[in-house]
Amino acid sequence: MLPAAAGPLTVAERIGVIGAGIVGLAVARELARSADVVVVDKEDEVARHQTGHNSGVAHAGLYYPPGSLKAELCRRGREALSAYCRERGLPYVECGKLLIARDEREVPGLREIERRAQANRVPGLRWVEGPDIASVEPYASGLAALHSPKTAIVDFPAVARALADDVRAAGGEVRLGFEVTGIRTGGSGPAPAVLLRAADGTELGVDRLVVCAGLQSDRMSRLAGDEPGPTIVPFRGEYYRLRADRTHLVRGMIYPVPDPRYPFLGVHLTRTVGGDVEVGPNAVLALAREGYDAGTVNARDLWETVRWRGFRRLARRHWRAGVRELHGSLSRRAFVASAATYVPGLTAADVERAGAGVRAQAVDVDGSMVDDFRIHHLGPVVAVRNAPSPAATSALAIGPYIAERVTASRS
Ligand SMILES: Cc1cc2nc3c(=O)[nH]c(=O)nc-3n(C[C@H](O)[C@H](O)[C@H](O)COP(=O)(O)OP(=O)(O)OC[C@H]3O[C@@H](n4cnc5c(N)ncnc54)[C@H](O)[C@@H]3O)c2cc1C
């Protein structure tokens, strides 16, 4: 564990942020208003991992338990993101989302989402009976639906690049190609409180550190002295894309009612700001944390996953869902069949392979997938241990939330 509690920020302090994804950059942008900030990332450009491989949806906050960090930061983050995109001339398109209950069994789940969405003050929400679904999405069908007209699509990598520009404009630094391999804390006197060491031996001293390392967040946090759990278990989300002559099947976004046992939203159809329609993502266990295709295997990543007691418990409980997802991953027909249950005209011939992303899902030692955002404090270090969806939507609210804790709190 780490020593000495950090006191309030003084002007001369230098703050390091590990990770130039949207969360790290939003934190850095906020801190750069009052401190000397340096963001480091191992890649040679920003947004190379989750921020650059996601569905591009600015979530309106329908699903999250009222009172949770996700509920609060998603609501505030979406408002801030919409304003930011307007200010910076970035695309932000409110094409709306329809959440469809396909049969009687899914209606209670949809009603529960409606209840949560109302508690979360999601704007413009409307219950739609089956026959009226076509007035929102002409090619969709189901027993009932929830329409969220304010759910939007955005270009998260473009937002991340704009945030990096803001950090630089405020006098901060975004240092790319700096892969953190060591963190020493506890320095005193002339020694920096935190010393980062990069793979090439370069050292960087800072007074405080924020860890926003996504798929590597547990490893970076442990290097800084944090406890082992939760551990990141990587789940790949694969996408198909509708062929250009079939994109008329979807106006905005069409989602199924998610299985409440999992933090994933189920295979959905989403317009992108580039004009494509994507189908996906599924959720298959990735054999490498940065494994964007099924053939990529990283022995260390795999070993750390299976060695984690929490993962073994998770696997025992949910292996059937794992096998189902794997089947969908191997068979285009099975993948598309799940989306065709709410867009009946869709066939396997309508899609072509698109990209994939890998979710950094934190799993506790008891085998539960951490649902809410989780942030640890240890002396001069604040570590983001779980920032799954909707963290991209929420980033501009997560930034001030964490910055406040870094600058004001005694940990
Ligand atoms: C398939 C998929 C779909 C999603 N869809 C949505 C969506 O529609 N809407 C939404 O709001 N959210 C969505 N999300 C979630 C969202 O993308 C993430 O919550 C968000 O991008 C997390 O941002 P981050 O900055 O924490 O992580 P990341 O973007 O992963 O950034 C972490 C950074 O840390 C760096 N790093 C790691 N280790 C080191 C090291 N040792 N040294 C230096 N740098 C390091 C990495 O290079 C990386 O740039 C989705 C995620 C996935 C995977």
Side-chain angles (χ1 to χ4, degrees), residues 21-23 41-42 50-51 54-55 57 178 180 216 220 387 391 393:
I22 197 166
V23 173
D41 199 291
K42 65 190 174 72
Q50 294 176 96
T51 303
N54 62 36
S55 300
V57 177
F178 189 108
V180 177
Q216 314 291 340
M220 290 299 105
T393 306

Side-chain angles (χ1 to χ4, degrees), residues 56 66 82 98 148 195 220 233 257 274 276 282 318 339 391 394:
S82 150
L98 198 63
S148 164
L195 188 71
M220 290 299 105
V233 175
V257 176
D276 289 334
N282 57 357
H318 298 294
S394 314

Side-chain angles (χ1 to χ4, degrees), residues 92-410:
Y92 184 94
V93 186
E94 284 178 347
C95 55
K97 155 168 163 175
L98 198 63
L99 198 60
I100 297 184
R102 291 164 283 197
D103 56 36
E104 211 49 77
R105 281 168 309 172
E106 292 186 341
V107 173
L110 190 62
R111 282 290 182 199
E112 170 59 15
I113 291 171
E114 182 190 34
R115 188 192 68 75
R116 288 185 177 193
Q118 284 166 348
N120 293 341
R121 293 181 280 149
V122 172
L125 204 67
R126 187 168 66 94
W127 185 268
V128 182
E129 291 301 340
D132 299 328
I133 285 178
S135 68
V136 184
E137 286 286 355
Y139 294 93
S141 76
L143 196 62
L146 206 52
H147 185 220
S148 164
K150 291 289 183 187
T151 301
I153 50 176
V154 288
D155 181 347
F156 284 123
V159 173
R161 288 191 293 272
L163 294 172
D165 288 344
D166 291 348
V167 172
R168 294 187 193 102
E173 186 188 351
V174 180
R175 198 181 292 187
L176 301 172
F178 189 108
E179 180 179 1
V180 177
T181 52
I183 303 176
R184 203 189 68 210
T185 57
S188 59
V194 183
L195 188 71
L196 302 180
R197 185 166 309 105
D200 66 2
T202 311
E203 291 188 332
L204 175 68
V206 292
D207 300 296
R208 302 185 196 219
L209 176 70
V210 186
V211 177
C212 304
L215 287 153
Q216 314 291 340
S217 55
D218 54 342
R219 288 178 179 155
M220 290 299 105
S221 305
R222 284 197 295 264
L223 281 182
D226 197 8
E227 58 202 39
T231 278
I232 291 298
V233 175
F235 285 95
R236 194 173 54 255
E238 297 157 328
Y239 293 89
Y240 283 89
R241 177 186 313 117
L242 292 194
R243 292 185 194 283
D245 60 337
R246 300 295 278 163
T247 54
H248 63 277
L249 291 175
V250 181
R251 278 185 182 166
M253 290 162 255
I254 312 178
Y255 281 60
V257 176
D259 184 332
R261 287 171 300 172
Y262 306 106
F264 313 126
L265 301 180
V267 166
H268 44 266
L269 295 130
T270 314
R271 274 210 170 260
T272 69
V273 291
D276 289 334
V277 174
E278 288 185 334
V279 191
N282 57 357
V284 274
L285 181 68
L287 305 181
R289 291 192 182 201
E290 294 164 8
Y292 293 99
D293 57 60
T296 306
V297 183
N298 178 304
R300 176 186 171 204
D301 291 352
L302 192 55
W303 170 240
E304 280 189 16
T305 298
V306 297
R307 204 182 53 173
W308 176 239
R309 212 157 1 123
F311 170 74
R312 295 202 300 274
R313 290 181 168 134
L314 175 81
R316 266 199 300 277
R317 246 174 260 156
H318 298 294
W319 65 269
R320 279 191 189 81
V323 170
R324 232 181 3 255
E325 289 291 325
L326 193 59
H327 177 55
S329 170
L330 297 172
S331 155
R332 173 192 303 223
R333 202 172 291 279
F335 192 104
V336 173
S338 63
T341 55
Y342 48 92
V343 180
L346 193 66
T347 69
D350 294 331
V351 301
E352 53 199 20
R353 273 259 180 219
V358 185
R359 303 174 185 85
Q361 176 59 53
V363 174
D364 269 323
V365 69
D366 66 0
S368 58
M369 292 191 248
V370 179
D371 189 44
D372 209 356
F373 300 147
R374 190 176 287 177
I375 295 154
H376 287 184
H377 300 238
L378 332 95
V381 182
V382 173
V384 177
R385 297 294 300 252
N386 194 48
S389 183
T393 306
S394 314
L396 289 173
I398 296 176
Y401 179 86
I402 290 181
E404 203 178 301
R405 274 144 190 82
V406 174
T407 54
S409 76
R410 280 188 173 273

